Amino acid sequence: MEKNNKKGKILSGIRPTGPCHIGHYEAILKNWVRLQYEYETTYEIADLHALTDRTETGDLNENIYEVLIDLLAVGIDPEVSTIFVQSHLPQHSELHLLLSMITPVPWLERCPTYKEKKQDIQSGEGMGYGLLGYPVLMATDILIHKGEYVPVGEDQLPHLELTREIVRRFNHLYDDVFVEPQAILTETPKILGVDNRKMSKSYGNAIFLKDTDDDIRAKIMIMITDPRRAYRKDPGHPEECNVYSFHLLYNSERTGEIAEACRNAGIGCRECKAELADKVIEVFSEYKERRRYFEGNRELLDDIIREGDKKAEAVASDTLLRVKRAMKLV
Ligand code: TRP
Ligand code: SF4
C-alpha cells in the first residue's frame, strides 16, 4: 500500500511483561492490526517501560520475543508496520533525559497512573526515580518517532495530554521542533480474568493467546459466574456474569438466546462455558497456526527486529539532532 494514501503517522507501544493475553488483544492488538492499513504505523516493544515498576529482569529478553511473536501472529505485518525494540535505540534514553529537564515534577505527580502504581510498588527501597518519569519516557517515544496520532485507551489519556504540554513547553522555550500528537481514542473493553479481577499475568487469572486449546477450556470452565445462581435451577443474570461478557465478544450471534436461557434456567453454567470455550478456541486457532511458524524461526524474528530498529532509528536520530540544535547543545 502506498504510504502517501495514509492518514498520518501513528506511534504506539506495548510493554513486554510476558506473553499477551486476551485483555491485550482486545484493548491494543486488535486496534493495531486494523490501524496499520489506514495510517503509517510504528509499534514499539517498550522494554524500558517494563523496568519502571520492577527490578526483576530475568525474563525480559525472552518476553520481548514472546510479544514480538504475538504481534506477528495476530497479524501485524512487518512489511506494513515498523516494529522495533525501545532499548535498542539509545536515542530514547537521550531524549528522555533532555525532556526530563523541562518537565515540572508536579505535572508528573498528578498523573493518575503514577498515584496508583506508587501504592502497590513492591520494592522495599521505595519507588524508583524512573517510575515518576514514566510519562516522560512515553512522551519521548511519541515525539522522537514523530507520532501524530496515538491510539490510547481512556487510562492512557492523561499521558497523552502531558505529552502535549511537554511539546508546548519545549517549543516555547527553544524552537518549534515538535508537533502536538492527537489521541485516537480506542474502545478498550475492560477484560476480567477468570476470577473476575482485571485480567493480568500477575494475578494468574489470564487467558493467553498462546494457551493450548486444553488450557483455554480448563480456564474457562473455572470462570466465576453469576454469584446469585447457586443451583442449576436458579435463574441467572447474564449481565452480572463474566462468562456472558465473553460470549458478547466471541459468540455474538448467540448472545440473545444465551441470555434468555440463562434467565429462565434453561441452560446450565457448565454447558454455557463449554460453548464459550469452543468459540474462543475457534477464534484463536488461526493465530496459533501463525504462532507456530514464527516460534520456530528465531532468525526470522531477529531479522524483523533488525529491520524495524533500523527504520525507527533513522527517524529517532533525526529528531534528536533537531532537539539538540534547538537547545544549542550542538
Ligand atoms: N505506556 C504504555 C503502557 O504501559 C506503553 C507505551 C510505551 C506507549 N510507549 C508508548 C503507548 C507510546 C503509546 C505510545 O501500556
Ligand atoms: Fe453466566 Fe452462562 Fe451461567 Fe448464565 S448460564 S450465569 S451467562 S455462565
Side-chain angles (χ1 to χ4, degrees):
M1 184 185 267
E2 279 291 322
K3 278 193 176 159
N4 317 350
N5 296 339
K6 294 192 175 177
K7 287 189 239 168
K9 177 146 184 188
I10 280 184
L11 182 287
S12 194
I14 185 166
R15 284 180 296 153
T17 50
C20 295
H21 53 60
I22 286 184
H24 294 118
Y25 178 72
E26 293 297 333
I28 304 173
L29 303 181
K30 225 172 155 176
N31 291 315
W32 282 15
V33 174
R34 180 174 50 82
L35 290 166
Q36 69 182 340
Y37 302 108
E38 292 172 48
Y39 295 82
E40 196 191 323
T41 39
T42 299
Y43 296 134
E44 169 188 275
I45 300 179
D47 55 349
L48 297 175
H49 270 97
L51 300 178
T52 57
D53 63 354
R54 74 203 66 207
T55 48
E56 168 58 43
T57 60
D59 296 333
L60 191 53
N61 195 256
E62 215 35 55
N63 286 340
I64 291 170
Y65 283 108
E66 285 289 350
V67 170
L68 175 61
I69 294 167
D70 281 328
L71 296 184
L72 298 168
V74 297
I76 308 279
D77 180 348
E79 302 283 327
V80 177
S81 298
T82 302
I83 310 172
F84 75 98
V85 178
Q86 187 182 29
S87 73
H88 295 182
L89 274 57
Q91 291 86 350
H92 286 105
S93 303
E94 263 193 272
L95 184 61
H96 174 252
L97 183 77
L98 296 177
L99 294 183
S100 79
M101 303 299 176
I102 65 150
T103 309
V105 172
W107 289 9
L108 299 171
E109 284 171 335
R110 71 175 188 228
C111 281
T113 42
Y114 167 72
K115 289 191 208 155
E116 266 167 44
K117 281 257 171 85
K118 202 173 118 183
Q119 276 161 11
D120 54 42
I121 207 82
Q122 279 157 17
S123 159
E125 312 295 325
M127 182 205 63
Y129 166 53
L131 182 67
L132 185 64
Y134 177 110
V136 183
L137 191 57
M138 183 163 151
T140 301
D141 294 339
I142 298 166
L143 299 177
I144 206 164
H145 296 288
K146 310 184 191 207
E148 298 165 280
Y149 301 96
V150 185
V152 281
E154 203 86 49
D155 59 322
Q156 295 281 333
L157 267 183
H159 295 160
L160 197 71
E161 198 39 57
L162 187 95
T163 304
R164 295 161 58 88
E165 285 178 284
I166 291 174
V167 167
R168 293 196 284 270
R169 189 161 156 81
F170 185 94
N171 289 355
H172 169 73
L173 287 169
Y174 302 109
D175 199 0
D176 283 339
V177 172
F178 299 124
V179 177
E180 286 182 44
Q182 313 279 322
I184 298 178
L185 201 55
T186 51
E187 223 184 287
T188 47
K190 270 258 174 308
I191 304 288
L192 300 180
V194 297
D195 60 357
N196 278 6
R197 293 190 290 169
K198 183 176 189 274
M199 188 177 282
S200 164
K201 185 181 178 221
S202 54
Y203 290 158
N205 65 2
I207 299 173
F208 296 100
L209 301 181
K210 67 181 277 195
D211 277 346
T212 63
D213 295 353
D214 287 348
D215 285 342
I216 293 178
R217 193 176 302 280
K219 288 179 180 179
I220 288 176
M221 293 314 286
I222 59 159
M223 277 174 83
I224 293 178
T225 61
D226 172 14
R228 289 197 272 164
R229 197 174 181 205
Y231 298 101
R232 169 71 178 78
K233 64 176 184 1
D234 295 338
H237 307 81
E239 56 293 328
E240 287 165 41
C241 176
N242 192 25
V243 176
Y244 186 69
S245 321
F246 273 72
H247 275 291
L248 290 172
L249 282 171
Y250 300 112
N251 194 17
S252 54
E253 65 280 10
R254 282 264 301 142
T255 48
E257 286 153 79
I258 288 170
E260 167 83 27
C262 172
R263 283 193 195 102
N264 62 30
I267 186 176
C269 292
R270 282 190 59 80
E271 202 185 324
C272 183
K273 289 172 173 180
E275 177 172 336
L276 175 67
D278 287 341
K279 279 290 166 182
V280 174
I281 288 166
E282 188 188 312
V283 168
F284 290 106
S285 65
E286 206 182 306
Y287 158 88
K288 284 214 187 79
E289 253 170 64
R290 286 200 295 254
R291 171 172 256 276
R292 271 193 290 277
Y293 169 72
F294 290 110
E295 251 172 358
N297 208 335
R298 270 278 154 122
E299 260 175 55
L300 175 64
L301 298 176
D302 287 332
D303 280 348
I304 289 171
I305 282 301
R306 210 175 303 116
E307 276 297 305
D309 285 350
K310 207 165 84 188
K311 276 194 260 172
E313 183 149 23
V315 183
S317 49
D318 177 73
T319 308
L320 187 60
L321 184 61
R322 287 167 194 267
V323 168
K324 285 179 166 175
R325 282 196 184 127
M327 295 177 86
K328 308 288 182 239
L329 288 162
V330 288

